[in-house]
Amino acid sequence: MGEFNIELENMVYEPSDDSFLLIDNLNINPGEKVLEIGTGSGIVAMYASKVADEVVATDINFNAIEIAEKNFLLNNIDNINILFGDLFEPLKSEGFNEKFDVILFNTPYLPTENDEVLEDDLNYAFDGGLDGRKIIDPFLNQVKNHLNKNGRVQLIQSSLSNIEQTLLKLEELGFLVEITASEKFFFEEIVLITGFLD
């Protein structure tokens, strides 16, 4: 996994092309505070922690919390706080009132039929509901409340889950948006959307 030692766990999303698309295009400045939603193995948060002053990472999969904590220790990283829960909920329960300069999210973006749902925690990593937007839309509705002025959001999603809708929603919220990176696969395109808050 590049310069970090990473342990994996079969109930946690293994870093893949989408993870590295985000890692390779992180838009973080020294001294900034970063929030990563859905940290999984913790690899994106670890790369973010090299530049950022402080990183808060959340995940709804408790297995992910455990393996990410292990990976942070393994690599002697001490500027990441990890919180268990759904989207922005853990911030409220842990009393994190501060806002962030950058919010990162490799979203669960795959349209998923009811009969494709896995009966385990790994399901959280990819299940985007029938239209792929089950998690993306609630995230977009809340993201602005947690960003500082001039903050940025960087999210990964697929052409299967209506990229145009995400761009429009962010624009409506007052972001300047661009697709900063993309990778084509045989049945979809994965894109990194960056939104700059004015």
Side-chain angles (χ1 to χ4, degrees):
M1 297 290 166
E3 57 205 273
F4 292 115
N5 294 314
I6 293 274
E7 282 192 24
L8 300 171
E9 208 266 4
N10 61 4
M11 284 297 153
V12 178
Y13 185 71
E14 185 175 332
S16 190
D17 294 316
D18 48 6
S19 317
F20 295 108
L21 194 64
L22 181 51
I23 287 166
D24 291 342
N25 295 281
L26 287 172
N27 187 323
I28 301 168
N29 300 313
E32 290 190 319
K33 283 187 175 167
V34 175
L35 170 65
E36 187 198 8
I37 303 283
T39 197
S41 67
I43 189 164
V44 173
M46 289 162 70
Y47 276 94
S49 76
K50 290 173 59 175
V51 186
D53 213 27
E54 178 192 336
V55 179
V56 175
T58 73
D59 209 293
I60 194 173
N61 175 352
F62 198 73
N63 298 293
I65 297 290
E66 291 183 329
I67 199 73
E69 272 189 321
K70 193 184 279 189
N71 285 329
F72 303 154
L73 281 171
L74 197 61
N75 292 278
N76 300 315
I77 296 171
D78 59 5
N79 62 337
I80 304 177
N81 271 309
I82 188 151
L83 307 175
F84 172 62
D86 190 14
L87 291 175
F88 299 99
E89 283 303 313
L91 299 176
K92 293 179 197 136
S93 58
E94 295 290 331
F96 273 81
N97 295 323
E98 79 250 51
K99 294 187 175 187
F100 297 88
D101 301 297
V102 184
I103 296 178
L104 309 169
F105 192 16
N106 183 359
T107 66
Y109 50 67
L110 284 183
T112 307
E113 299 286 340
N114 293 335
D115 61 355
E116 295 172 318
V117 171
L118 298 179
E119 292 297 319
D120 60 43
D121 284 345
L122 188 59
N123 193 67
Y124 291 125
F126 68 86
D127 181 358
L130 292 176
D131 60 359
R133 302 193 60 85
K134 180 175 81 172
I135 311 297
I136 293 172
D137 287 330
F139 169 78
L140 293 175
N141 287 335
Q142 298 174 67
V143 70
K144 192 175 175 180
N145 306 334
H146 299 278
L147 273 176
N148 285 325
K149 192 171 161 47
N150 301 321
R152 279 129 17 243
V153 58
Q154 292 194 285
L155 69 126
I156 295 276
Q157 80 166 83
S158 158
S159 55
L160 300 175
S161 49
N162 198 337
I163 293 164
E164 197 54 42
Q165 198 172 328
T166 301
L167 297 175
L168 283 171
K169 177 72 180 168
L170 284 167
E171 282 172 0
E172 280 169 18
L173 289 166
F175 287 87
L176 291 168
V177 290
E178 57 183 52
I179 292 176
T180 32
S182 65
E183 203 168 327
K184 280 194 167 60
F185 297 92
F186 64 99
F187 62 93
E188 64 177 335
E189 183 177 12
I190 303 293
V191 300
L192 170 60
I193 296 168
T194 303
F196 301 86
L197 200 53
D198 241 356

